[in-house]
């Protein structure tokens, strides 16, 4: 991988990296297309990173289909697919991690305490191996994108971070490899997440500035329309994921909801900076 990247750099080609865990869907492909607008040299990494899964999470049955992913990448004209094994990525005596600090303990970090340590460690490793000029991530994982941008700044990676919009199914459910886990009923009910975000956007546009009230209404709507169990519904600012205040900060509304064992996340920006 390094040799290939060095060759591209010697030929003055700008490398874009799209990191994924595979089982590629239109959301992932949209990141590739964002990258394509900026460069003619795209690397897609496909790696289900064990260190971001806690014991009892879905590492063992995370959906995988490398030949289909490879075909999709080929169809998008991707220049290289980086598909390392666990042995490639982690030596048996691996001990060093990148920590995300307070931001990694908020929102998803509360129910997944080691998750962001794993995510930013693997992304730092991918950056060091692939040496991209640009990296493209999805707004779908808003907390991840914010934490990774901070890591790039704090650790002086010379990489431009692009965050691409959320791609949704027809009924509004954010595309995710994990949607595959949902039963037919859960899948139907999961549309309530986007409906609740749309309701929140309307409330805010119509002058409701009470973010706690908006979060409460979201909770009610999801509980009315689905069997989903709410993990969190929160409004935070994107600078440090602390409390949002429409007067002084931007407002990211983020939620996580369990359908059975499947944890779905979604978000919308109620107020831009
Ligand atoms: P994953 O394979 O789920 O780890 O996701 C890899 C990248 O794709 C991350 O940057 C995600 O934020 C992004 N992504 C996943 N789902 C979507 C979606 N529905 N729309 C846009 N980006 C997405």
């Amino acid at each position: 991988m390094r040799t290939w990247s060095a060759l591209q750099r010697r030929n003055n080609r700008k490398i874009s990296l799209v990191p994924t865990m595979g089982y590629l869907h239109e959301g992932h492909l949209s990141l590739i297309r964002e990258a394509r607008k900026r460069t003619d040299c795209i690397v897609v990494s496909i790696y289900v990173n064990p260190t971001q899964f806690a014991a009892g999470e879905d590492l063992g049955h995370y959906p995988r289909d490398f030949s289909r992913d490879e075909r999709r990448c080929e169809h998008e004209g991707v220049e290289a697919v980086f598909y390392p094994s666990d042995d490639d990525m982690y030596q048996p005596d691996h001990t060093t991690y990148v920590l995300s600090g307070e931001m990694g303990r908020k929102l998803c970090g509360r129910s997944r305490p080691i998750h962001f340590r794993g995510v930013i460690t693997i992304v730092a490793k991918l950056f060091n191996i692939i040496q991209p000029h640009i990296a493209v991530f999805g707004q779908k994982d808003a907390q991840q994108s914010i934490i990774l941008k901070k890591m790039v700044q704090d650790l002086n990676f010379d990489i431009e971070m692009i965050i691409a919009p959320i791609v949704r199914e027809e009924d509004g459910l954010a595309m995710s490899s994990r949607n595959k886990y949902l039963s037919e009923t859960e899948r139907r009910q999961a549309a309530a997440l986007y409906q609740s975000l749309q309701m929140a956007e309307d409330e805010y546009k119509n002058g409701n500035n009470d973010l706690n009230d908006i979060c409460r209404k979201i909770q009610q709507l999801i509980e009315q329309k689905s069997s989903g169990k709410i993990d969190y519904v929160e409004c935070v600012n994107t600078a440090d994921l602390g409390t949002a205040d429409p007067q002084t900060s931007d407002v990211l509304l983020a939620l996580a909801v369990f359908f059975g064992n499947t944890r779905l996340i979604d978000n919308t920006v109620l107020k831009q900076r």
Side-chain angles (χ1 to χ4, degrees), residues 125-219:
K125 284 163 72 67
L126 291 170
F127 283 178
N128 282 327
I129 293 166
I130 298 166
Q131 304 269 318
H133 299 82
I134 298 172
V136 189
F137 295 88
Q139 174 67 18
K140 158 85 190 334
D141 298 86
Q143 180 176 16
Q144 169 176 289
S145 295
I146 291 166
I147 289 175
L148 287 172
K149 274 178 157 177
K150 190 73 169 57
M151 176 194 77
V152 162
Q153 185 192 324
D154 288 349
L155 299 187
N156 309 91
F157 282 101
D158 187 14
I159 294 174
E160 183 188 354
M161 297 287 280
I162 306 292
I163 312 301
I166 303 176
V167 177
R168 299 181 177 281
E169 302 285 356
E170 249 171 50
D171 64 355
L173 177 66
M175 287 193 182
S176 163
S177 310
R178 289 193 167 100
N179 292 349
K180 176 186 158 59
Y181 298 148
L182 300 172
S183 70
E184 234 174 83
T185 316
E186 288 168 340
R187 171 63 193 83
R188 234 184 357 263
Q189 293 182 355
L193 303 193
Y194 184 55
Q195 288 163 14
S196 77
L197 293 179
Q198 284 183 309
M199 181 273 293
E201 286 168 6
D202 288 344
E203 285 275 326
Y204 190 78
K205 267 190 218 130
N206 293 329
N208 185 355
N209 268 356
D210 182 345
L211 301 179
N212 289 330
D213 180 58
I214 293 181
C215 289
R216 239 183 341 262
K217 285 183 171 142
I218 289 187
Q219 206 150 335

Side-chain angles (χ1 to χ4, degrees), residues 1-248:
M1 186 68 243
R2 275 238 166 104
T3 309
W4 186 87
S5 284
L7 179 66
Q8 307 311 314
R9 280 179 168 262
R10 265 202 306 282
N11 291 333
N12 288 323
R13 294 179 84 189
K14 226 175 176 185
I15 303 168
S16 273
L17 168 64
V18 178
T20 80
M21 298 206 298
Y23 211 68
L24 302 181
H25 51 66
E26 278 299 317
H28 297 114
L29 302 187
S30 77
L31 306 188
I32 296 173
R33 290 168 199 151
E34 277 302 321
R36 184 63 72 201
K37 291 180 195 163
R38 293 164 173 87
T39 165
D40 59 355
C41 186
I42 300 175
V43 182
V44 172
S45 65
I46 297 179
Y47 182 57
V48 183
N49 171 38
T51 65
Q52 69 192 64
F53 291 79
E57 290 187 343
D58 56 342
L59 173 64
H61 52 277
Y62 194 85
R64 297 163 207 242
D65 188 341
F66 181 67
S67 7
R68 195 182 66 156
D69 290 347
E70 204 180 21
R71 279 198 304 278
R72 291 202 162 173
C73 287
E74 212 168 304
H75 190 255
E76 293 297 320
V78 162
E79 279 67 23
V81 176
F82 182 58
Y83 179 53
S85 67
D86 287 341
D87 289 346
D88 290 330
M89 292 310 283
Y90 292 101
Q91 303 292 312
D93 59 352
H94 176 100
T95 52
T96 308
Y97 287 89
V98 187
L99 301 181
S100 56
E102 197 50 41
M103 285 203 287
R105 288 189 277 274
K106 301 196 165 160
L107 304 177
C108 290
R110 275 202 300 277
S111 53
R112 307 188 74 190
I114 63 156
H115 177 66
F116 290 106
R117 179 190 77 161
V119 169
I120 66 175
T121 299
I122 196 66
V123 170
K125 284 163 72 67
L126 291 170
F127 283 178
N128 282 327
I129 293 166
I130 298 166
Q131 304 269 318
H133 299 82
I134 298 172
V136 189
F137 295 88
Q139 174 67 18
K140 158 85 190 334
D141 298 86
Q143 180 176 16
Q144 169 176 289
S145 295
I146 291 166
I147 289 175
L148 287 172
K149 274 178 157 177
K150 190 73 169 57
M151 176 194 77
V152 162
Q153 185 192 324
D154 288 349
L155 299 187
N156 309 91
F157 282 101
D158 187 14
I159 294 174
E160 183 188 354
M161 297 287 280
I162 306 292
I163 312 301
I166 303 176
V167 177
R168 299 181 177 281
E169 302 285 356
E170 249 171 50
D171 64 355
L173 177 66
M175 287 193 182
S176 163
S177 310
R178 289 193 167 100
N179 292 349
K180 176 186 158 59
Y181 298 148
L182 300 172
S183 70
E184 234 174 83
T185 316
E186 288 168 340
R187 171 63 193 83
R188 234 184 357 263
Q189 293 182 355
L193 303 193
Y194 184 55
Q195 288 163 14
S196 77
L197 293 179
Q198 284 183 309
M199 181 273 293
E201 286 168 6
D202 288 344
E203 285 275 326
Y204 190 78
K205 267 190 218 130
N206 293 329
N208 185 355
N209 268 356
D210 182 345
L211 301 179
N212 289 330
D213 180 58
I214 293 181
C215 289
R216 239 183 341 262
K217 285 183 171 142
I218 289 187
Q219 206 150 335
Q220 280 164 3
L221 190 148
I222 293 172
E223 283 167 359
Q224 253 166 32
K225 294 208 166 184
S226 78
S227 56
K229 299 272 170 295
I230 289 168
D231 180 12
Y232 67 80
V233 179
E234 265 183 71
C235 287
V236 296
N237 72 70
T238 65
D240 63 2
L241 301 178
T243 312
D245 175 356
Q247 306 299 324
T248 56

